[in-house]
Amino acid sequence: MFRLFSQTRRCLQVKRALKRQEWPLRPAHLTAAAQQASFSTASVEHLSRSDSWPKDVGILALEVYFPSQYVEQVELEKYDGVEAGKYTLGLGQKQMGFCSAHEDINSLCLTVVQRLVERSRLSWDSIGRLEVGTETIIDKSKAVKTVLMQLFQDSGNTDVEGIDTTNACYGGTASLFNSADWVESSSWDGRYAVVVCGDIAVYATGNARPTGGAGAVAMLVGPGAPLVLERGVRGTHMEHVYDFYKPDLASEYPMVDGKLSIQCYFRALDQCYSIYRKKIQSQWQKVGVDKPFTLEDFQFMIFHTPFCKLVQKSVGRMMLNDFLAAPNPDTQSGLYKGLQAFRYSAQQLAGSRIGAFSYGSGLAASLFSMRVSQDAAPGSPLDKLLSSLSDLQTRLDARKQVPPEEFAEIMKQREESHHLVSHTPQGSKDDLFPGTWYLERVDDKHRRQYARRPL
């Protein structure tokens, strides 16, 4: 799930030939929580006392974490002895972030949740649900979410629902759905939900290794959001397939059928898009709008990204689906020609519909959408959300480039130390970003101890 969000810089804006259709949401009922510069306990109390059902439920704030080191894919091509361009042109990859032996899924999630709470100026007792989506399993019983509860210890807040959700890269999407549903349900107590999506994707030496990566995203979910999850229009497709799975619990490496996985990805995309179109067209018909939904009705698209070239092919595939579904397609108007890259700005995003396709091997997939708040004024929830992510490029530029030889050695260390007891990770912690949580030691009972680098 992390890669779905981490690749937003590679997402493509659909070039629309038709005049923009106006399908705005009702005016946003901005709650006190959304209006304030911070997310306070007082705001939560205001929400819980409100007589109105929670409206515009979605993502209020975002935090992203990625490792402090990376390897250049063009250098990896040389090191692996493959033809030039195999990873960079064939797969569309440029750089690959990876974790040292000091980082595991627990430390990644600890870091991103702490950053979200600190940067949003949240109180720990204002969180009533915390759910983790991950396929990077350390323990067959103890959830990552339980490790994160140490962050709540000083606040005394132990009344936090949610647990881990797992199915390849789809777990984060399921966690987001579950948390939004909790806010909209009779179980909601007026507090916020936090969704954590994190994974460490590593592969054995071979063709799949350059498609790895690592990172985590934390999302604050509640009413009055600048990114509103559209209701009743999710398209989901699930089936039983062995395209990618991890049967060896003693290893981080998966079993992969690459060709089958790509076929499954496209099949799931076709099915999810077909279901989504039917549902949203049904909604439109109820309000007197009789028109087919096409890719033109998304202003932006986000895709789960096993590798970057697959995203380009997916956009083309959705356009092909539109073309095949159109009763009398106009092949002369240029409607299906070209896509232009988008640039970030609050005014450009305001009022947009963002489509998102999530795929998890095995398989589980969904296509859903979010509507962006119309309010893009300085200080608005949308402006604050984008401002909180404005340092991403600076943080990317601050990473350390590691030669392929060192990358391979670190991967070997991870392989050899996986599930070791009485173990202290090798290497220096100095390369970690300030404020990063890291694995300090594993004792003789497999109990993991973590520490945090000073800010």
Side-chain angles (χ1 to χ4, degrees), residues 173-401:
T173 298
S175 296
L176 176 60
F177 290 170
N178 292 343
S179 296
D181 291 347
W182 175 75
V183 174
E184 293 181 337
S185 77
S186 60
S187 298
W188 185 54
D189 62 5
R191 292 184 293 168
Y192 303 109
V194 172
V195 178
V196 191
C197 316
D199 271 319
I200 300 174
V202 291
Y203 297 86
T205 303
N207 292 336
R209 174 158 280 189
T211 66
V217 172
M219 294 170 277
L220 185 68
V221 175
L227 295 179
V228 181
L229 288 166
E230 291 199 281
R231 300 178 68 175
V233 291
R234 298 175 192 162
T236 292
H237 174 72
M238 298 198 180
E239 63 175 279
H240 171 49
V241 183
Y242 281 114
D243 61 325
F244 170 108
Y245 52 108
K246 295 181 176 179
D248 185 356
L249 301 180
S251 171
E252 288 190 291
Y253 300 145
M255 302 288 289
V256 185
D257 186 333
K259 183 177 181 180
L260 175 60
S261 192
I262 292 172
Q263 292 172 350
C264 291
Y265 184 103
F266 285 143
R267 182 165 69 247
L269 176 62
D270 291 347
Q271 292 294 323
C272 289
Y273 188 37
S274 176
I275 295 167
Y276 179 93
R277 284 187 307 189
K278 290 177 182 177
K279 289 184 178 180
I280 198 166
Q281 285 170 186
S282 177
Q283 284 191 359
W284 285 358
Q285 288 171 0
K286 291 177 182 177
V287 294
V289 177
D290 188 13
K291 68 180 287 287
F293 183 95
T294 70
L295 194 55
E296 300 293 310
D297 294 296
F298 287 128
Q299 282 70 59
F300 301 90
M301 273 300 304
I302 300 172
F303 291 89
H304 165 61
T305 312
F307 54 91
C308 298
K309 186 59 70 72
L310 196 59
V311 171
Q312 300 172 23
K313 294 180 178 180
S314 296
V315 174
R317 194 171 188 95
M318 293 181 75
M319 280 194 166
L320 176 62
N321 276 280
D322 287 347
F323 179 77
L324 295 175
N328 297 297
D330 182 357
T331 58
Q332 303 300 318
S333 67
L335 181 61
Y336 300 107
K337 289 183 180 178
L339 299 169
Q340 64 186 37
F342 70 85
R343 295 173 298 168
Y344 278 112
S345 86
Q347 291 292 339
Q348 186 181 12
L349 287 172
S352 298
R353 172 180 285 117
I354 300 175
F357 176 67
S358 173
Y359 177 84
S361 291
L363 66 79
S366 289
L367 193 152
F368 60 102
S369 56
M370 296 170 280
R371 289 304 300 258
V372 183
S373 167
Q374 296 281 357
D375 183 7
S380 67
L382 176 60
D383 179 67
K384 286 188 284 187
L385 187 150
L386 294 177
S387 296
S388 71
L389 301 175
S390 62
D391 66 341
L392 282 179
Q393 189 59 53
T394 301
R395 288 161 54 193
L396 284 167
D397 293 341
R399 294 178 303 164
K400 172 187 174 183
Q401 181 181 344

Side-chain angles (χ1 to χ4, degrees), residues 79-100:
Y79 179 79
D80 289 347
V82 301
E83 60 188 90
K86 182 172 183 178
Y87 304 157
T88 51
L89 299 178
L91 298 178
Q93 307 288 78
K94 184 178 180 181
Q95 297 171 345
M96 179 171 61
F98 63 95
C99 293
S100 70

